């Protein structure tokens, strides 16, 4: 288990290897300031000031070597500027020459994340610590890194070990650690109170039984905020079964739950002045004699009837009941995360989550948070012109659009039917996965949109940030 507090530390003048940052516009001038030996070495290794390129600068003493690395802009570091170094340098302490790491502290830590729970001989590598004199930045960065690591760990864990009960256990840990109140609805109470969650999960084995998991935290007189997550621990597609290739990654279908649990822990650990209501609709979309069927009509908690056009469009069903419950408490804000549609990936690819919202100010704050944290989002339209695609002959609405087009929009429009009037709402159709690695962003489970949403909540509610 990585102790992230070992990876960024206060700079108290202790021994550390220097890291020189250069960019294309300033490289020639920087090079002039180096010794003839260093210039000859850089020429010999063919160093060019291109992004993520680095070289070791030998010192007079074999142990006194330094590092030079190229970034896009020395004066404006992104979260990922030092990520490759954090991954590949030998263990030890490092400090930037002449400036603070700023946002790059996050990427330095993120690059050292690893998921080796199931490896019998995991390679061992000691921590690479980055020093900073900006000690006030350390705790917030550590909190965000731990939240991101939590999402990655939960999503990376195989479905056999991360069913609804295991998701509940993680929620219990978070609630106990921060003084939250946990409640879980399952069994007959779930069937009666949350019929769509029950229907989606009723075919699973008893030890993977569906449930609604809730955490309440914070003072009652603080603004009420609801975080809602899709927790489909494994999605076979149900009777509309997925092909093998489509099922391979479905352990990640609880990625929305992972995001809201991590975000809830950030809220609680920071003492954000809100009345938090975190809801996770946890179920396994399995196949058995009791599986819900295409053509079935389900009655939702809200009272709306839903005709099942496709059992593989189950995420919106469990969210519908959870969003209804969230709205009953009259929050001023609802944010949901869900690995909801393949159409979102077709539209925007794996790295850029679509943002749907009914509130322009909220959209602006979410997008700004994404830019500030290097966790980008892209706003998509909640266009009511597609609402007729959810119409059905025998029920109030269908769970699968009648057209192959606009899949992520129609899914968002379905969720909108369960949002109370006048409540600001944001829906993030996150992928929760990286199909290939980038510096600081390993292949596998991924927190996409988490830090953007956290930045929005801090801006909106943290009085300390405003004072």
């Amino acid at each position: 288990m990585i102790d992230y507090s070992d990876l960024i530390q206060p700079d108290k003048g202790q021994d550390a290897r220097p890291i020189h940052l250069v960019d294309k516009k300033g490289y020639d001038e920087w090079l002039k300031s180096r010794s003839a030996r260093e210039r000859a070495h850089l020429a010999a290794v063919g160093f060019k000031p291109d992004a993520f390129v680095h070289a070791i600068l030998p010192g007079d003493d074999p142990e006194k070597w330094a590092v030079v690395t190229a970034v896009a802009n020395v004066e404006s570091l992104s979260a990922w500027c030092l990520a490759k170094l954090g991954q590949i340098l030998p263990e030890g302490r490092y400090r930037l020459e002449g400036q603070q790491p700023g946002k790059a502290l996050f990427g330095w830590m993120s690059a050292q994340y690893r998921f080796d729970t199931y490896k019998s001989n995991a390679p061992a590598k000691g921590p690479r610590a980055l020093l900073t004199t900006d000690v006030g930045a350390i705790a917030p960065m550590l909190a965000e890194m731990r939240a991101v690591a939590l999402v990655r760990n939960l999503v990376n864990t195989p479905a056999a070990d991360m069913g609804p009960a295991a998701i509940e256990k993680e929620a219990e840990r978070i609630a106990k650690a921060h003084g939250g109140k946990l409640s879980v609805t399952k069994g007959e109470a779930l069937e009666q109170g949350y019929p769509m969650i029950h229907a989606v999960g009723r075919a699973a084995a008893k030890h993977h039984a569906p449930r609604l998991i809730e955490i309440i935290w914070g003072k009652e007189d603080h603004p009420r905020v609801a975080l809602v997550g899709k927790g489909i621990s494994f999605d076979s597609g149900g009777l509309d079964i997925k092909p093998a290739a489509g099922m391979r990654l479905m352990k990640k279908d609880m990625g929305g739950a992972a995001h809201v649990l991590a975000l809830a822990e950030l809220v609680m650990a920071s003492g954000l002045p809100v009345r938090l209501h975190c809801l996770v609709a946890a179920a396994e979309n399995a196949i058995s004699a009791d599986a819900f069927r295409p053509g079935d009509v389900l009655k939702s908690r809200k009272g709306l009837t839903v005709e099942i056009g496709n059992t593989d469009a189950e995420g919106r069903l469990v969210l519908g009941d959870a969003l209804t419950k969230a709205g009953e408490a009259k929050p001023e804000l609802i944010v949901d995360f869900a690995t909801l549609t393949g159409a979102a990936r077709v539209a925007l690819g794996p790295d850029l989550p679509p943002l749907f919202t009914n509130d322009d100010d909220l959209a602006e704050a979410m997008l700004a948070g994404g830019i500030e944290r290097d966790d980008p989002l892209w706003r998509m339209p909640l266009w009511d012109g597609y609402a007729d695609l959810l119409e059905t002959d025998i029920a109030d609405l269908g769970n699968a659009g009648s057209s192959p087009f606009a899949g992520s929009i129609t899914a968002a429009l379905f969720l909108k039917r369960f949002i109370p009037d006048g409540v600001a709402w944001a829906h993030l159709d996150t992928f929760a996965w990286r199909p290939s690695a980038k510096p600081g962003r390993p292949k596998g489970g991924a927190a996409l949109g988490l830090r953007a949403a956290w930045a929005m909540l801090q801006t909106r509610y943290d009085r300390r940030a405003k004072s």
Side-chain angles (χ1 to χ4, degrees), residues 224-252:
R224 192 176 187 100
V225 174
L227 304 178
V228 182
K230 171 189 171 185
I232 300 298
S233 60
F234 188 80
D235 183 15
S236 69
L239 291 176
D240 287 309
I241 191 168
K242 294 177 182 287
M247 213 185 295
R248 176 63 180 84
L249 290 180
M250 283 302 101
K251 68 176 184 178
K252 76 172 188 63

Side-chain angles (χ1 to χ4, degrees), residues 77-433:
L77 299 184
S78 77
W80 312 115
C81 283
L82 302 179
K84 189 172 182 180
L85 288 184
Q87 180 177 337
I88 65 176
L89 288 176
E91 63 181 88
R93 287 191 298 265
Y94 299 85
R95 69 162 56 85
L96 297 189
E97 284 293 293
Q99 66 184 97
Q100 295 302 314
K103 292 193 294 183
L105 286 169
F106 180 82
W108 179 273
M109 289 187 291
S110 181
Q112 297 183 58
Y113 168 86
R114 60 184 180 268
F115 184 76
D116 52 20
T117 302
Y118 296 90
K119 288 184 175 290
S120 47
N121 292 299
K125 187 175 182 180
R128 283 77 74 200
L130 187 62
L131 306 181
T132 177
T133 58
D134 184 10
V135 294
I138 293 177
M141 284 290 186
L142 285 172
E144 290 189 23
M145 183 60 234
R146 288 169 179 146
V148 167
L150 176 60
V151 174
R152 292 174 181 174
N153 289 340
L154 294 178
V155 174
N156 284 331
T157 301
D161 297 332
M162 191 49 63
I167 296 172
E168 176 188 330
K169 186 176 180 180
E170 188 61 34
E172 181 181 22
R173 177 196 67 79
I174 293 169
K176 283 184 176 180
H178 304 286
K181 179 182 178 182
L182 178 76
S183 61
V184 181
T185 305
K186 51 189 174 182
E188 185 177 350
L190 186 77
E191 183 176 3
Q192 296 300 316
Y194 305 91
M196 292 200 296
I197 299 175
H198 173 264
V200 169
R202 72 191 187 202
K206 287 185 178 180
H207 64 285
H208 287 322
R211 63 204 69 197
L212 179 72
I213 303 161
E214 300 177 80
I215 300 173
I216 294 288
W217 174 89
K219 296 181 180 179
E220 293 186 13
D221 60 345
H222 283 164
R224 192 176 187 100
V225 174
L227 304 178
V228 182
K230 171 189 171 185
I232 300 298
S233 60
F234 188 80
D235 183 15
S236 69
L239 291 176
D240 287 309
I241 191 168
K242 294 177 182 287
M247 213 185 295
R248 176 63 180 84
L249 290 180
M250 283 302 101
K251 68 176 184 178
K252 76 172 188 63
D253 215 20
M254 43 65 66
H259 278 74
V260 299
L261 289 174
L263 186 55
E265 187 160 32
L266 276 171
V267 168
M268 290 186 273
S270 73
L272 199 71
V274 298
R275 177 69 165 173
L276 176 68
H277 188 189
C278 177
L279 305 96
V280 170
E284 179 181 349
N285 188 18
I287 300 172
S288 77
D290 197 30
F292 75 120
R293 295 164 289 267
D296 284 356
V297 174
L298 307 180
K299 187 173 183 179
S300 68
R301 180 178 178 86
K302 188 175 182 179
L304 292 171
T305 55
V306 180
E307 183 180 12
I308 303 305
N310 191 317
T311 62
D312 197 22
E314 85 298 329
R316 65 199 70 183
L317 300 175
V318 302
L319 284 174
D321 276 352
L323 289 168
T324 299
K325 173 64 173 177
E328 290 167 0
K330 299 180 180 179
E332 70 166 50
L333 173 65
I334 298 175
V335 179
D336 80 73
F337 282 83
T339 53
L340 204 61
T341 67
R345 314 287 78 80
V346 174
L348 297 177
D351 295 349
L352 189 60
L355 166 68
F356 295 88
T357 177
N358 60 3
D359 185 285
D360 290 340
D361 290 339
L362 178 57
E364 184 177 340
M366 290 285 284
L367 295 172
I371 292 170
E372 197 274 328
R373 293 297 208 277
D374 292 315
D375 186 22
L377 307 171
W378 194 269
R379 190 179 186 184
M380 295 279 277
L382 272 171
W383 192 54
D384 287 328
Y386 289 146
D388 62 337
L389 298 179
L390 295 171
E391 292 180 359
T392 176
D393 293 337
I394 66 170
D396 295 324
L397 72 165
N399 80 320
S402 59
S403 165
F405 305 116
S408 63
I409 297 175
T410 55
L413 289 172
F414 182 96
L415 298 182
K416 185 183 176 185
R417 295 288 296 270
F418 298 89
I419 301 298
D421 292 339
V423 175
W425 163 61
H427 160 57
L428 287 90
D429 192 341
T430 187
F431 193 39
W433 190 264

